[in-house]
Each structure stands twice: as C-alpha cells, then as structure tokens.
Amino acid sequence: MPFILKRLGFFVLSLWAAITINFILPRMMPGNPADIMFAKFKGQLDPASMEAMKKAFGLTDKPIIIQYFEYLKGLFTGQWGLSFGNYPTPVIDIIKSSLPWTIGLVGLATILAVFIGTSVGIYISWKRQGLLDNTLPILTMGIQALPYFWVALLFLFIFGFKLNWFPMNHGYDDGLVPGFNWTFISSVIFHGFLPGLTILLGSLSGWLVGMRNNMINTLGEDYVVFAEAKGVSTSRLMFTYAARNAILPQLTSFAIAIGNVVSGSILTEQVFSYPGIGGQLTNGVLQEDYPLIQASFLLIAVAVLVANLVVDLLYSRLDPRVRTGGTVK
C-alpha cells in the first residue's frame, strides 16, 4: 500500500505539472495567437463582431491567475475551446473524432510489434548462433534505421500508386456510413494495412533485439543454470525461469510505447492522409490552431503518465524488489 500511495502521489503531482506547463507555455511564447488569428479578419468585421468572436474563443485580458482557474474549470468540464482552424468546431469534438483512429491503428500495430518482437526474441535467444539469430536482428535493425516516413512513402508509391493493391488515403471507402458491420470494418482494415505495417516494421527491431539480449543475460544466471541441471523441462525453463524475469525491462519500454499511442506516428498519418490525431496535430501547427495544439499536447502527456502509472503498479507485482526497496525477505 505505501508503494501504491507513493506512485499515485507522484502521478497526481506530475499531472498537475503537465497541466500547468501546458497552460503557461503558450502564454510565454512571443507574439499573440489571438492577434495572428484576428489579423485575417482585419477590415472584414466590425468591432462588435470582433469582440463577440474573442468571447467565443475565450480570449480575455483577465489576470493570469483567474485565467488559470478558468482553464482548469474548462479542462475538467470538457470546455477546451474552439478550434481556430476549424471554427466554430469545439476542440474536444475534433479530438473525439480523430483519437479512435489513432488508437486503433497505432495501438494495434504497437501491440503486434511487442508480441511478435518479444516472442521471436525469446526463441532466437534460446537458439542463439542459429540462422534466425544471425539474420533477424540485423535485418530488423536495418529496416528500423530507415526513416519511417520514407518507408511510408515507399509503400504508398509501390503498393498504392504502382500496383494499386491498397488505397492511398483516408480511413475507409468514400460513401460508407461508419457502423459496426463487416463492410465498414473490412474497409477500415484495408485502409489501415499499409500505415499499420509501416509502424510495425519501424518498431519491431527494438522489441526483438531488446528481448533477445535480456534473455541471453538471464540464461546465464545461476538459478537458471541450476534449474537446467535439475532437469527442468525446456518450455518451463524458457518461459517460467528465464522469460518471466527477462521481460521486466520490456515493461518500461512498453509503458512509453503505449503512452505514445495517443500521439500516433504523426508523419505516417500525414503521408497516408489518415484521419488520426497525428494528422490533426500537424494541421493545427500549419494553421496556428493554438487551442487544438494545446489540447493535443496535454492529451499526449496524460496518456504517457497513465501508462507509466499502470506499468509501475504491474511491475511491483511481477518483481517484489520494486516494492520492498530492493530486498526480498
């Protein structure tokens, strides 16, 4: 319980810091985003209309502390402001419409990369110096060394433009009505295959090589050697004794990866014109849409904090040394 309370306290403190920094940074930037936006309407709107728009966007000259508390109130009540680039659409509506696409695409690709990379890493470490152990790490590291947006462009050009095997943009076929039916779901899978494959190949090497190295170190531990000498079965020795302990460092990386699912692979979504949060964030930067940028950054920070909290609690169950200060009685 003390360990859990300590982690929860750290989570609350970190969350408050992320919210506060997200409020302060835009106000410390040179220039005024409101002036930039309203300059576009100069000479087109009368003063009364300009004041009405400022009020709609929540732009005010109130003291900073009052703005801060109004910001907190709006944050927890879902009033995240109106989008500058998609006026008068509320920012929270844009987030709601784009976030499921990113979670579905990047989340599934990340989970597949973790599962495939970890499983193959366990196998090739057990069969080290074999054909797969000598080729797969080098091959996957070579793929990961390529810029992932370049791989996305290559896939789009070959399989989308030249061969016309897969669609080149959007999340589903035009004319379809979103719904829980096979026609729509199959269209979503079809459109998400190439961007998902790009993300999967770009992250596979880290999981495979990391698990392989962890397993090799663990297989040299005395308790594994002793269990092997006692005649423990191969499957039990591989998974119960070696993999269970070797996988612990992977959990930390998994927390970061899951937290980053919200941000998505920004350039990959941009290349495939995928309707995820990454594409929205890119468009927000190009359109100087400060409310959308601010909401997106905060969402990414919260996702990372929550993922780390969950993995910290899970880590404490898998490794008793974490919650006992490094000693096991």
Side-chain angles (χ1 to χ4, degrees):
M1 185 58 68
F3 173 82
I4 294 175
L5 292 176
K6 182 179 178 181
R7 300 313 302 171
L8 287 174
F10 179 76
F11 169 76
V12 172
L13 181 62
S14 301
L15 180 60
W16 171 80
I19 291 173
T20 304
I21 292 173
N22 198 52
F23 169 80
I24 292 175
L25 281 181
R27 289 159 177 79
M28 293 179 62
M29 294 174 63
N32 188 333
D35 293 340
I36 295 174
M37 182 188 66
F38 287 116
K40 302 174 184 178
F41 301 99
K42 190 174 182 181
Q44 302 178 25
L45 297 176
D46 56 75
S49 300
M50 293 284 282
E51 287 299 320
M53 286 190 66
K54 287 183 179 181
K55 186 176 180 180
F57 280 110
L59 303 172
T60 177
D61 295 326
K62 295 179 182 178
I64 191 71
I65 189 66
I66 296 179
Q67 293 184 41
Y68 179 65
F69 284 108
E70 288 181 346
Y71 167 76
L72 292 178
K73 179 182 177 182
L75 190 65
F76 291 107
T77 57
Q79 303 298 321
W80 294 4
L82 301 179
S83 169
F84 287 2
N86 300 277
Y87 179 80
T89 307
V91 168
I92 194 168
D93 289 347
I94 298 176
I95 297 294
K96 286 180 180 179
S97 64
S98 57
L99 189 58
W101 291 98
T102 293
I103 293 177
L105 174 68
V106 186
L108 182 60
T110 300
I111 292 174
L112 285 174
V114 173
F115 177 77
I116 295 172
T118 301
S119 301
V120 175
I122 293 172
Y123 179 78
I124 65 176
S125 66
W126 191 261
K127 302 287 185 180
R128 55 185 179 275
Q129 302 307 320
L131 177 63
L132 293 179
D133 186 40
N134 290 329
T135 57
L136 282 181
I138 297 174
L139 178 62
T140 55
M141 283 191 291
I143 295 175
Q144 188 172 9
L146 301 173
Y148 70 91
F149 60 87
W150 183 84
V151 176
L153 287 170
L154 185 66
F155 282 176
L156 187 66
F157 177 74
I158 295 175
F159 299 109
F161 180 72
K162 283 293 185 181
L163 300 177
N164 198 28
W165 287 357
F166 295 95
M168 299 179 63
N169 57 16
H170 204 45
Y172 55 92
D173 291 335
D174 295 334
L176 287 181
V177 178
F180 195 72
N181 54 75
W182 176 243
T183 303
F184 177 73
I185 293 174
S186 61
S187 179
V188 170
I189 295 173
F190 192 51
H191 279 74
F193 182 80
L194 284 183
L197 182 62
T198 302
I199 298 169
L200 173 64
L201 294 178
S203 58
L204 185 62
S205 175
W207 302 108
L208 188 151
V209 175
M211 191 62 194
R212 173 191 177 276
N213 294 340
N214 293 339
M215 278 288 292
I216 290 175
N217 292 332
T218 304
L219 289 172
E221 296 289 342
D222 292 339
Y223 64 88
V224 177
V225 176
F226 180 70
E228 186 176 11
K230 286 180 62 179
V232 175
S233 64
T234 299
S235 60
R236 187 180 179 192
L237 188 66
M238 184 188 302
F239 294 104
T240 305
Y241 284 82
R244 181 179 178 181
N245 293 284
I247 204 172
L248 293 176
Q250 296 280 89
L251 288 177
T252 303
S253 300
F254 183 64
I256 298 173
I258 290 297
N260 288 335
V261 163
V262 175
S263 63
S265 292
I266 296 175
L267 292 181
T268 298
E269 291 186 2
Q270 194 71 13
V271 168
F272 289 98
S273 300
Y274 200 76
I277 194 69
Q280 294 290 354
L281 181 57
T282 304
N283 293 333
V285 172
L286 295 175
Q287 297 173 0
E288 298 173 338
D289 193 343
Y290 288 87
L292 180 58
I293 297 170
Q294 192 175 15
S296 301
F297 284 160
L298 182 59
L299 198 64
I300 293 168
V302 171
V304 172
L305 289 174
V306 171
N308 277 277
L309 174 64
V310 172
V311 172
D312 275 344
L313 298 180
L314 181 61
Y315 209 111
S316 70
R317 296 300 304 168
L318 295 175
D319 189 353
R321 292 172 297 179
V322 173
R323 60 179 184 271
T324 59
T327 61
V328 180
K329 297 181 181 180

PDB file of all heavy atoms in Angstrom, residues 27 34 37-38 51-62 67 70-71 79-82 84 87 291:
ATOM      1  N   ARG A  27       1.423  31.089 -23.275  1.00  0.00           N
ATOM      2  CA  ARG A  27       1.373  32.483 -22.854  1.00  0.00           C
ATOM      3  C   ARG A  27       2.759  33.092 -22.718  1.00  0.00           C
ATOM      4  O   ARG A  27       2.893  34.302 -22.576  1.00  0.00           O
ATOM      5  CB  ARG A  27       0.605  32.584 -21.522  1.00  0.00           C
ATOM      6  CG  ARG A  27      -0.888  32.329 -21.721  1.00  0.00           C
ATOM      7  CD  ARG A  27      -1.590  31.931 -20.442  1.00  0.00           C
ATOM      8  NE  ARG A  27      -3.034  31.767 -20.675  1.00  0.00           N
ATOM      9  CZ  ARG A  27      -3.580  30.698 -21.221  1.00  0.00           C
ATOM     10  NH1 ARG A  27      -2.810  29.680 -21.589  1.00  0.00           N
ATOM     11  NH2 ARG A  27      -4.892  30.622 -21.409  1.00  0.00           N
ATOM     12  N   ALA A  34      -3.971  35.333 -30.689  1.00  0.00           N
ATOM     13  CA  ALA A  34      -5.255  35.991 -30.979  1.00  0.00           C
ATOM     14  C   ALA A  34      -5.067  37.069 -32.042  1.00  0.00           C
ATOM     15  O   ALA A  34      -5.871  37.201 -32.967  1.00  0.00           O
ATOM     16  CB  ALA A  34      -5.829  36.595 -29.707  1.00  0.00           C
ATOM     17  N   MET A  37      -4.669  35.466 -35.427  1.00  0.00           N
ATOM     18  CA  MET A  37      -5.915  34.967 -35.985  1.00  0.00           C
ATOM     19  C   MET A  37      -6.811  36.098 -36.455  1.00  0.00           C
ATOM     20  O   MET A  37      -7.338  36.073 -37.570  1.00  0.00           O
ATOM     21  CB  MET A  37      -6.651  34.126 -34.944  1.00  0.00           C
ATOM     22  CG  MET A  37      -7.947  33.519 -35.474  1.00  0.00           C
ATOM     23  SD  MET A  37      -8.919  32.733 -34.189  1.00  0.00           S
ATOM     24  CE  MET A  37      -9.370  34.150 -33.205  1.00  0.00           C
ATOM     25  N   PHE A  38      -6.959  37.144 -35.631  1.00  0.00           N
ATOM     26  CA  PHE A  38      -7.893  38.214 -35.967  1.00  0.00           C
ATOM     27  C   PHE A  38      -7.353  39.138 -37.055  1.00  0.00           C
ATOM     28  O   PHE A  38      -8.106  39.888 -37.662  1.00  0.00           O
ATOM     29  CB  PHE A  38      -8.248  39.015 -34.717  1.00  0.00           C
ATOM     30  CG  PHE A  38      -9.158  38.272 -33.775  1.00  0.00           C
ATOM     31  CD1 PHE A  38      -8.732  37.928 -32.514  1.00  0.00           C
ATOM     32  CD2 PHE A  38     -10.431  37.896 -34.160  1.00  0.00           C
ATOM     33  CE1 PHE A  38      -9.557  37.230 -31.650  1.00  0.00           C
ATOM     34  CE2 PHE A  38     -11.265  37.202 -33.302  1.00  0.00           C
ATOM     35  CZ  PHE A  38     -10.829  36.859 -32.047  1.00  0.00           C
ATOM     36  N   GLU A  51     -15.326  41.500 -30.942  1.00  0.00           N
ATOM     37  CA  GLU A  51     -15.458  41.226 -29.511  1.00  0.00           C
ATOM     38  C   GLU A  51     -16.259  39.953 -29.278  1.00  0.00           C
ATOM     39  O   GLU A  51     -15.955  39.166 -28.365  1.00  0.00           O
ATOM     40  CB  GLU A  51     -16.131  42.410 -28.804  1.00  0.00           C
ATOM     41  CG  GLU A  51     -15.246  43.639 -28.662  1.00  0.00           C
ATOM     42  CD  GLU A  51     -14.001  43.342 -27.846  1.00  0.00           C
ATOM     43  OE1 GLU A  51     -14.115  42.597 -26.840  1.00  0.00           O
ATOM     44  OE2 GLU A  51     -12.918  43.834 -28.203  1.00  0.00           O
ATOM     45  N   ALA A  52     -17.281  39.734 -30.090  1.00  0.00           N
ATOM     46  CA  ALA A  52     -18.083  38.515 -29.959  1.00  0.00           C
ATOM     47  C   ALA A  52     -17.246  37.274 -30.263  1.00  0.00           C
ATOM     48  O   ALA A  52     -17.361  36.244 -29.579  1.00  0.00           O
ATOM     49  CB  ALA A  52     -19.285  38.589 -30.888  1.00  0.00           C
ATOM     50  N   MET A  53     -16.381  37.376 -31.271  1.00  0.00           N
ATOM     51  CA  MET A  53     -15.517  36.241 -31.601  1.00  0.00           C
ATOM     52  C   MET A  53     -14.494  35.985 -30.512  1.00  0.00           C
ATOM     53  O   MET A  53     -14.210  34.832 -30.155  1.00  0.00           O
ATOM     54  CB  MET A  53     -14.803  36.487 -32.945  1.00  0.00           C
ATOM     55  CG  MET A  53     -15.687  36.336 -34.165  1.00  0.00           C
ATOM     56  SD  MET A  53     -14.735  36.337 -35.707  1.00  0.00           S
ATOM     57  CE  MET A  53     -13.803  34.829 -35.533  1.00  0.00           C
ATOM     58  N   LYS A  54     -13.924  37.054 -29.955  1.00  0.00           N
ATOM     59  CA  LYS A  54     -12.962  36.886 -28.861  1.00  0.00           C
ATOM     60  C   LYS A  54     -13.610  36.184 -27.672  1.00  0.00           C
ATOM     61  O   LYS A  54     -13.008  35.309 -27.030  1.00  0.00           O
ATOM     62  CB  LYS A  54     -12.412  38.253 -28.430  1.00  0.00           C
ATOM     63  CG  LYS A  54     -11.447  38.865 -29.425  1.00  0.00           C
ATOM     64  CD  LYS A  54     -10.890  40.186 -28.891  1.00  0.00           C
ATOM     65  CE  LYS A  54      -9.898  40.792 -29.876  1.00  0.00           C
ATOM     66  NZ  LYS A  54      -9.327  42.066 -29.381  1.00  0.00           N
ATOM     67  N   LYS A  55     -14.857  36.569 -27.369  1.00  0.00           N
ATOM     68  CA  LYS A  55     -15.569  35.949 -26.265  1.00  0.00           C
ATOM     69  C   LYS A  55     -15.831  34.475 -26.569  1.00  0.00           C
ATOM     70  O   LYS A  55     -15.723  33.605 -25.687  1.00  0.00           O
ATOM     71  CB  LYS A  55     -16.886  36.685 -26.017  1.00  0.00           C
ATOM     72  CG  LYS A  55     -17.627  36.184 -24.792  1.00  0.00           C
ATOM     73  CD  LYS A  55     -18.883  37.018 -24.539  1.00  0.00           C
ATOM     74  CE  LYS A  55     -19.617  36.506 -23.296  1.00  0.00           C
ATOM     75  NZ  LYS A  55     -20.848  37.293 -23.029  1.00  0.00           N
ATOM     76  N   ALA A  56     -16.157  34.163 -27.818  1.00  0.00           N
ATOM     77  CA  ALA A  56     -16.423  32.774 -28.199  1.00  0.00           C
ATOM     78  C   ALA A  56     -15.173  31.916 -28.078  1.00  0.00           C
ATOM     79  O   ALA A  56     -15.232  30.753 -27.675  1.00  0.00           O
ATOM     80  CB  ALA A  56     -16.960  32.720 -29.630  1.00  0.00           C
ATOM     81  N   PHE A  57     -14.019  32.505 -28.398  1.00  0.00           N
ATOM     82  CA  PHE A  57     -12.764  31.774 -28.300  1.00  0.00           C
ATOM     83  C   PHE A  57     -12.192  31.755 -26.880  1.00  0.00           C
ATOM     84  O   PHE A  57     -11.188  31.105 -26.621  1.00  0.00           O
ATOM     85  CB  PHE A  57     -11.714  32.371 -29.249  1.00  0.00           C
ATOM     86  CG  PHE A  57     -11.888  31.933 -30.672  1.00  0.00           C
ATOM     87  CD1 PHE A  57     -12.313  32.819 -31.640  1.00  0.00           C
ATOM     88  CD2 PHE A  57     -11.642  30.628 -31.050  1.00  0.00           C
ATOM     89  CE1 PHE A  57     -12.471  32.424 -32.958  1.00  0.00           C
ATOM     90  CE2 PHE A  57     -11.796  30.217 -32.360  1.00  0.00           C
ATOM     91  CZ  PHE A  57     -12.212  31.117 -33.317  1.00  0.00           C
ATOM     92  N   GLY A  58     -12.800  32.478 -25.966  1.00  0.00           N
ATOM     93  CA  GLY A  58     -12.315  32.501 -24.592  1.00  0.00           C
ATOM     94  C   GLY A  58     -11.105  33.384 -24.392  1.00  0.00           C
ATOM     95  O   GLY A  58     -10.370  33.227 -23.419  1.00  0.00           O
ATOM     96  N   LEU A  59     -10.870  34.323 -25.312  1.00  0.00           N
ATOM     97  CA  LEU A  59      -9.735  35.234 -25.204  1.00  0.00           C
ATOM     98  C   LEU A  59     -10.111  36.388 -24.285  1.00  0.00           C
ATOM     99  O   LEU A  59     -11.151  37.022 -24.450  1.00  0.00           O
ATOM    100  CB  LEU A  59      -9.347  35.754 -26.588  1.00  0.00           C
ATOM    101  CG  LEU A  59      -9.006  34.653 -27.606  1.00  0.00           C
ATOM    102  CD1 LEU A  59      -8.820  35.241 -28.988  1.00  0.00           C
ATOM    103  CD2 LEU A  59      -7.759  33.896 -27.172  1.00  0.00           C
ATOM    104  N   THR A  60      -9.262  36.638 -23.304  1.00  0.00           N
ATOM    105  CA  THR A  60      -9.599  37.613 -22.288  1.00  0.00           C
ATOM    106  C   THR A  60      -8.352  38.332 -21.797  1.00  0.00           C
ATOM    107  O   THR A  60      -7.226  37.842 -21.977  1.00  0.00           O
ATOM    108  CB  THR A  60     -10.294  36.926 -21.090  1.00  0.00           C
ATOM    109  OG1 THR A  60     -10.550  37.878 -20.078  1.00  0.00           O
ATOM    110  CG2 THR A  60      -9.430  35.820 -20.522  1.00  0.00           C
ATOM    111  N   ASP A  61      -8.566  39.487 -21.173  1.00  0.00           N
ATOM    112  CA  ASP A  61      -7.462  40.254 -20.572  1.00  0.00           C
ATOM    113  C   ASP A  61      -7.469  40.145 -19.053  1.00  0.00           C
ATOM    114  O   ASP A  61      -6.856  40.955 -18.362  1.00  0.00           O
ATOM    115  CB  ASP A  61      -7.573  41.738 -20.975  1.00  0.00           C
ATOM    116  CG  ASP A  61      -7.395  41.945 -22.471  1.00  0.00           C
ATOM    117  OD1 ASP A  61      -6.598  41.192 -23.059  1.00  0.00           O
ATOM    118  OD2 ASP A  61      -8.060  42.833 -23.040  1.00  0.00           O
ATOM    119  N   LYS A  62      -8.144  39.132 -18.513  1.00  0.00           N
ATOM    120  CA  LYS A  62      -8.205  38.954 -17.065  1.00  0.00           C
ATOM    121  C   LYS A  62      -6.823  38.602 -16.510  1.00  0.00           C
ATOM    122  O   LYS A  62      -5.950  38.133 -17.257  1.00  0.00           O
ATOM    123  CB  LYS A  62      -9.195  37.842 -16.725  1.00  0.00           C
ATOM    124  CG  LYS A  62     -10.635  38.159 -17.088  1.00  0.00           C
ATOM    125  CD  LYS A  62     -11.551  36.989 -16.739  1.00  0.00           C
ATOM    126  CE  LYS A  62     -12.994  37.283 -17.134  1.00  0.00           C
ATOM    127  NZ  LYS A  62     -13.893  36.139 -16.848  1.00  0.00           N
ATOM    128  N   GLN A  67      -7.313  33.421 -15.221  1.00  0.00           N
ATOM    129  CA  GLN A  67      -7.294  32.632 -16.442  1.00  0.00           C
ATOM    130  C   GLN A  67      -6.927  31.170 -16.136  1.00  0.00           C
ATOM    131  O   GLN A  67      -7.476  30.240 -16.728  1.00  0.00           O
ATOM    132  CB  GLN A  67      -6.285  33.212 -17.435  1.00  0.00           C
ATOM    133  CG  GLN A  67      -6.656  34.574 -17.990  1.00  0.00           C
ATOM    134  CD  GLN A  67      -5.650  35.040 -19.036  1.00  0.00           C
ATOM    135  OE1 GLN A  67      -5.194  34.245 -19.862  1.00  0.00           O
ATOM    136  NE2 GLN A  67      -5.301  36.321 -19.002  1.00  0.00           N
ATOM    137  N   GLU A  70      -9.902  29.409 -14.603  1.00  0.00           N
ATOM    138  CA  GLU A  70     -10.909  29.202 -15.646  1.00  0.00           C
ATOM    139  C   GLU A  70     -10.465  28.096 -16.601  1.00  0.00           C
ATOM    140  O   GLU A  70     -11.285  27.304 -17.091  1.00  0.00           O
ATOM    141  CB  GLU A  70     -11.137  30.506 -16.416  1.00  0.00           C
ATOM    142  CG  GLU A  70     -11.889  31.564 -15.609  1.00  0.00           C
ATOM    143  CD  GLU A  70     -12.120  32.830 -16.410  1.00  0.00           C
ATOM    144  OE1 GLU A  70     -11.471  32.980 -17.479  1.00  0.00           O
ATOM    145  OE2 GLU A  70     -12.930  33.679 -15.976  1.00  0.00           O
ATOM    146  N   TYR A  71      -9.155  28.048 -16.852  1.00  0.00           N
ATOM    147  CA  TYR A  71      -8.587  26.987 -17.691  1.00  0.00           C
ATOM    148  C   TYR A  71      -8.799  25.611 -17.044  1.00  0.00           C
ATOM    149  O   TYR A  71      -9.208  24.643 -17.712  1.00  0.00           O
ATOM    150  CB  TYR A  71      -7.107  27.268 -17.903  1.00  0.00           C
ATOM    151  CG  TYR A  71      -6.309  26.123 -18.474  1.00  0.00           C
ATOM    152  CD1 TYR A  71      -6.383  25.779 -19.821  1.00  0.00           C
ATOM    153  CD2 TYR A  71      -5.452  25.379 -17.656  1.00  0.00           C
ATOM    154  CE1 TYR A  71      -5.645  24.734 -20.340  1.00  0.00           C
ATOM    155  CE2 TYR A  71      -4.704  24.326 -18.165  1.00  0.00           C
ATOM    156  CZ  TYR A  71      -4.807  24.019 -19.494  1.00  0.00           C
ATOM    157  OH  TYR A  71      -4.065  22.973 -20.008  1.00  0.00           O
ATOM    158  N   GLN A  79     -14.762  21.813 -21.627  1.00  0.00           N
ATOM    159  CA  GLN A  79     -14.793  23.043 -22.422  1.00  0.00           C
ATOM    160  C   GLN A  79     -13.367  23.410 -22.818  1.00  0.00           C
ATOM    161  O   GLN A  79     -12.704  24.193 -22.132  1.00  0.00           O
ATOM    162  CB  GLN A  79     -15.451  24.174 -21.608  1.00  0.00           C
ATOM    163  CG  GLN A  79     -16.854  23.852 -21.125  1.00  0.00           C
ATOM    164  CD  GLN A  79     -17.820  23.613 -22.276  1.00  0.00           C
ATOM    165  OE1 GLN A  79     -17.777  24.291 -23.294  1.00  0.00           O
ATOM    166  NE2 GLN A  79     -18.710  22.641 -22.105  1.00  0.00           N
ATOM    167  N   TRP A  80     -12.874  22.829 -23.900  1.00  0.00           N
ATOM    168  CA  TRP A  80     -11.487  23.015 -24.310  1.00  0.00           C
ATOM    169  C   TRP A  80     -11.323  24.121 -25.345  1.00  0.00           C
ATOM    170  O   TRP A  80     -10.259  24.283 -25.915  1.00  0.00           O
ATOM    171  CB  TRP A  80     -10.924  21.706 -24.871  1.00  0.00           C
ATOM    172  CG  TRP A  80     -10.822  20.629 -23.831  1.00  0.00           C
ATOM    173  CD1 TRP A  80     -11.238  20.705 -22.521  1.00  0.00           C
ATOM    174  CD2 TRP A  80     -10.285  19.321 -23.995  1.00  0.00           C
ATOM    175  NE1 TRP A  80     -10.994  19.536 -21.875  1.00  0.00           N
ATOM    176  CE2 TRP A  80     -10.416  18.657 -22.747  1.00  0.00           C
ATOM    177  CE3 TRP A  80      -9.719  18.634 -25.065  1.00  0.00           C
ATOM    178  CZ2 TRP A  80      -9.986  17.351 -22.558  1.00  0.00           C
ATOM    179  CZ3 TRP A  80      -9.298  17.328 -24.876  1.00  0.00           C
ATOM    180  CH2 TRP A  80      -9.419  16.701 -23.638  1.00  0.00           C
ATOM    181  N   GLY A  81     -12.349  24.862 -25.584  1.00  0.00           N
ATOM    182  CA  GLY A  81     -12.270  25.981 -26.511  1.00  0.00           C
ATOM    183  C   GLY A  81     -12.648  25.591 -27.925  1.00  0.00           C
ATOM    184  O   GLY A  81     -12.932  24.427 -28.235  1.00  0.00           O
ATOM    185  N   LEU A  82     -12.658  26.605 -28.804  1.00  0.00           N
ATOM    186  CA  LEU A  82     -12.991  26.412 -30.212  1.00  0.00           C
ATOM    187  C   LEU A  82     -11.719  26.372 -31.043  1.00  0.00           C
ATOM    188  O   LEU A  82     -10.745  27.066 -30.759  1.00  0.00           O
ATOM    189  CB  LEU A  82     -13.898  27.544 -30.700  1.00  0.00           C
ATOM    190  CG  LEU A  82     -15.225  27.728 -29.964  1.00  0.00           C
ATOM    191  CD1 LEU A  82     -15.990  28.912 -30.546  1.00  0.00           C
ATOM    192  CD2 LEU A  82     -16.074  26.467 -30.036  1.00  0.00           C
ATOM    193  N   PHE A  84      -9.264  27.256 -33.904  1.00  0.00           N
ATOM    194  CA  PHE A  84      -9.031  28.409 -34.773  1.00  0.00           C
ATOM    195  C   PHE A  84      -9.177  28.015 -36.242  1.00  0.00           C
ATOM    196  O   PHE A  84      -9.741  28.749 -37.045  1.00  0.00           O
ATOM    197  CB  PHE A  84      -7.620  28.964 -34.562  1.00  0.00           C
ATOM    198  CG  PHE A  84      -7.451  29.702 -33.252  1.00  0.00           C
ATOM    199  CD1 PHE A  84      -8.486  29.813 -32.347  1.00  0.00           C
ATOM    200  CD2 PHE A  84      -6.233  30.288 -32.933  1.00  0.00           C
ATOM    201  CE1 PHE A  84      -8.331  30.489 -31.151  1.00  0.00           C
ATOM    202  CE2 PHE A  84      -6.065  30.967 -31.736  1.00  0.00           C
ATOM    203  CZ  PHE A  84      -7.117  31.059 -30.843  1.00  0.00           C
ATOM    204  N   TYR A  87     -13.106  26.658 -37.125  1.00  0.00           N
ATOM    205  CA  TYR A  87     -14.158  27.435 -36.452  1.00  0.00           C
ATOM    206  C   TYR A  87     -15.501  27.176 -37.122  1.00  0.00           C
ATOM    207  O   TYR A  87     -15.594  27.120 -38.350  1.00  0.00           O
ATOM    208  CB  TYR A  87     -13.810  28.928 -36.522  1.00  0.00           C
ATOM    209  CG  TYR A  87     -14.832  29.830 -35.874  1.00  0.00           C
ATOM    210  CD1 TYR A  87     -14.860  29.996 -34.506  1.00  0.00           C
ATOM    211  CD2 TYR A  87     -15.780  30.497 -36.651  1.00  0.00           C
ATOM    212  CE1 TYR A  87     -15.810  30.813 -33.910  1.00  0.00           C
ATOM    213  CE2 TYR A  87     -16.728  31.314 -36.072  1.00  0.00           C
ATOM    214  CZ  TYR A  87     -16.733  31.474 -34.694  1.00  0.00           C
ATOM    215  OH  TYR A  87     -17.674  32.271 -34.105  1.00  0.00           O
ATOM    216  N   PRO A 291      -5.490  26.356 -29.696  1.00  0.00           N
ATOM    217  CA  PRO A 291      -6.304  25.511 -28.811  1.00  0.00           C
ATOM    218  C   PRO A 291      -6.179  24.023 -29.130  1.00  0.00           C
ATOM    219  O   PRO A 291      -6.100  23.193 -28.226  1.00  0.00           O
ATOM    220  CB  PRO A 291      -7.729  26.019 -29.048  1.00  0.00           C
ATOM    221  CG  PRO A 291      -7.560  27.428 -29.506  1.00  0.00           C
ATOM    222  CD  PRO A 291      -6.318  27.422 -30.324  1.00  0.00           C
TER     223      PRO A 291
END
